[in-house]
Amino acid sequence: MAVFMSKGAVLAVGMGIGVAIASGATVANSQPAPKAAASPGAKAANMRHENFEKLGEAFKTVIDETKKGEPNKAVVARAAQTMNTLATALPTWFPRGSGVEARAKSEAKANIWTDAAGFSAAAAASQLQVSKLNQAAISGDMNAVRAQIRATGGSCKACHDKYRLEKKS
Amino acid sequence: MPQAPPEGVKVRLWDGPVRIVHWLLVALIGFSWWASEDHLDWHQWSGYGVVGLLLFRIYWGFAGSEAARFASFVRGPRATLAYLKTVSARTPSATAGHNPLGALSILALLGLLTVQVITGLFAVDVDAYQGGPLSHMVSFDQGRRLAELHDLSFHGLQALVVLHVAAIVFYLVWKRTNLIGPMITGFRWLPIDPGLARAPLWRLALGVALAGAAAWFISKGLRL
């Protein structure tokens, strides 16, 4: 019985180590893998991903900063400027062939290209809201910025709801 | 589900706070799940409620009436194995409170729920527009990763809830022990009165005040 128990204990520890290694490997795999000779589509998809990360980070900066009692106006203006630059370029981030076929983790839906007119309109609507946010930030009126945040977020969501794949976890 | 009146005594098992916390958690976790799709602002409010309930339940696990206390139901591996050997027997369960296996289930549920609320407090939505009250402490990228963990841990929580309900059905059907009634009324028939200690009202008031204040403070992003 004692021998059996110790075997069981060894097995349990072994399984624990196995699980730890496996989960470590999963984490390692989830890091962006080095790209070997990425296709133009994959390059575009990767760059798009990075740009959306920057856009999200900048919007988050605006939101976090304006939630403070006394926001740093320069920080808000700089982040809004970044958003404006990115949002202006956004329509160019979606060359044909840069969808899931080029990057498996891409969340770009096929209707971005099949419904190009609708997508352009949604992107333009978002661009307009971001430019208003930028104008408010330039004016230094933090209440105007706060008031424009909801419309801006809504325009992100409107496009995401229609043209972004819900990632399965 | 009334059964034939069993032999024994009617025991006051689960105190009011335990039952209220239990059923409010059921309601708020279900609501949070529903609201996670398109009502993230309600999801946040519901989450603050869960934070308060969770903090109170942990406090009550040290300060509550006897059956609510961790020290009264968390057992070592020996007792758990011994109980495991008897669990398949088709005899009514007579444990006054959580049995050693149920204790593991409670710890797992409370533990994963803690992971759930912590990841939620720091999570950031894909639009960056909405985030937990502590999300200003992390970057957008970190907040997105925590949102994914929040999603993942909820799947774990769902699995634990299914297991929890399955165990209760097993006790009801196989062992003919109704564990649902006591969680509603607080009373349970047991062969002998275990003489469970009750908690004074001031401890309840203190816990509600502490957990409420802490949840409020957290919901404000730890800023006054």
Side-chain angles (χ1 to χ4, degrees):
Chain A
M1 189 59 190
V3 173
F4 170 77
M5 288 305 284
S6 68
K7 262 188 192 167
V10 168
L11 191 65
V13 170
M15 279 168 68
I17 292 170
V19 168
I21 290 171
S23 57
T26 312
V27 169
N29 277 340
S30 70
Q31 303 298 322
K35 278 110 206 160
S39 69
K43 270 186 196 160
N46 285 324
M47 189 171 291
R48 177 172 68 228
H49 179 76
E50 282 169 27
N51 282 331
F52 270 118
E53 289 270 327
K54 286 181 197 157
L55 186 53
E57 185 68 58
F59 192 25
K60 187 173 179 298
T61 301
V62 172
I63 292 169
D64 290 348
E65 197 61 35
T66 52
K67 272 185 187 163
K68 293 180 185 168
E70 286 183 27
N72 183 332
K73 292 180 183 182
V75 168
V76 173
R78 209 176 316 129
Q81 169 66 48
T82 302
M83 286 179 72
N84 200 43
T85 307
L86 289 166
T88 307
L90 190 148
T92 68
W93 299 347
F94 295 85
R96 218 166 263 282
S98 67
V100 280
E101 70 277 19
R103 183 177 185 266
K105 279 167 72 184
S106 172
E107 291 158 31
K109 253 191 195 169
N111 61 353
I112 288 169
W113 297 282
T114 57
D115 175 26
F119 179 71
S120 289
S126 193
Q127 217 172 313
L128 176 68
Q129 298 303 334
V130 173
S131 73
K132 283 185 183 173
L133 185 76
N134 190 34
Q135 288 306 318
I138 289 168
S139 78
D141 180 352
M142 290 299 116
N143 283 330
V145 174
R146 290 189 186 105
Q148 180 56 22
I149 283 173
R150 175 178 280 273
T152 309
S155 75
C156 301
K157 182 170 165 30
C159 200
H160 287 156
D161 283 351
K162 217 169 161 188
Y163 299 101
R164 176 181 162 266
L165 288 166
E166 196 68 53
K167 221 198 286 183
K168 299 270 183 285
S169 63
Chain B
M1 271 165 283
Q3 303 161 42
E7 306 280 316
V9 284
K10 197 178 179 186
V11 175
R12 213 184 245 277
L13 181 62
W14 303 119
D15 59 28
V18 164
R19 287 175 282 144
I20 290 168
V21 166
H22 176 268
W23 293 113
L24 280 180
L25 279 177
V26 172
L28 286 187
I29 290 170
F31 178 81
S32 294
W33 184 15
W34 172 79
S36 67
E37 201 62 46
D38 282 315
H39 302 279
L40 278 181
D41 38 358
W42 294 352
H43 181 86
Q44 287 193 11
W45 284 107
S46 175
Y48 303 151
V50 174
V51 168
L53 291 170
L54 184 61
L55 289 174
F56 176 82
R57 185 59 188 88
I58 292 168
Y59 162 89
W60 206 237
F62 296 98
S65 70
E66 195 165 340
R69 293 189 179 213
F70 298 121
S72 80
F73 63 77
V74 177
R75 310 292 296 274
R78 195 181 299 267
T80 309
L81 275 176
Y83 183 80
L84 192 59
K85 284 177 187 152
T86 69
V87 78
S88 61
R90 198 160 193 184
T91 49
S93 162
T95 319
H98 298 299
N99 65 56
L101 280 182
L104 292 180
S105 169
I106 298 304
L107 291 183
L109 277 163
L110 290 178
L112 206 51
L113 199 54
T114 304
V115 172
Q116 190 67 25
V117 297
I118 289 175
T119 53
L121 290 170
F122 291 94
V124 177
D125 184 36
V126 70
D127 309 319
Y129 173 57
Q130 262 168 322
L134 304 184
S135 63
H136 61 280
M137 296 175 182
V138 299
S139 72
F140 176 68
D141 190 45
Q142 290 166 332
R144 288 303 299 144
R145 278 160 201 263
L146 286 162
E148 281 165 22
L149 276 179
H150 189 61
D151 200 39
L152 194 66
S153 75
F154 185 63
H155 290 310
L157 202 55
Q158 285 175 310
L160 286 179
V161 168
V162 168
L163 186 66
H164 174 65
V165 173
I168 282 157
V169 170
F170 169 77
Y171 274 77
L172 185 65
V173 173
W174 182 255
K175 293 170 96 67
R176 296 197 184 88
T177 303
N178 178 1
L179 299 176
I180 306 162
M183 192 44 82
I184 295 169
T185 64
F187 289 102
R188 196 175 150 195
W189 288 91
L190 287 169
I192 46 161
D193 190 341
L196 297 170
R198 297 173 62 182
L201 201 60
W202 68 265
R203 283 215 206 112
L204 170 63
L206 179 66
V208 170
L210 285 177
W216 179 83
F217 188 47
I218 290 169
S219 79
K220 293 287 169 197
L222 303 181
R223 288 177 290 209
L224 286 172

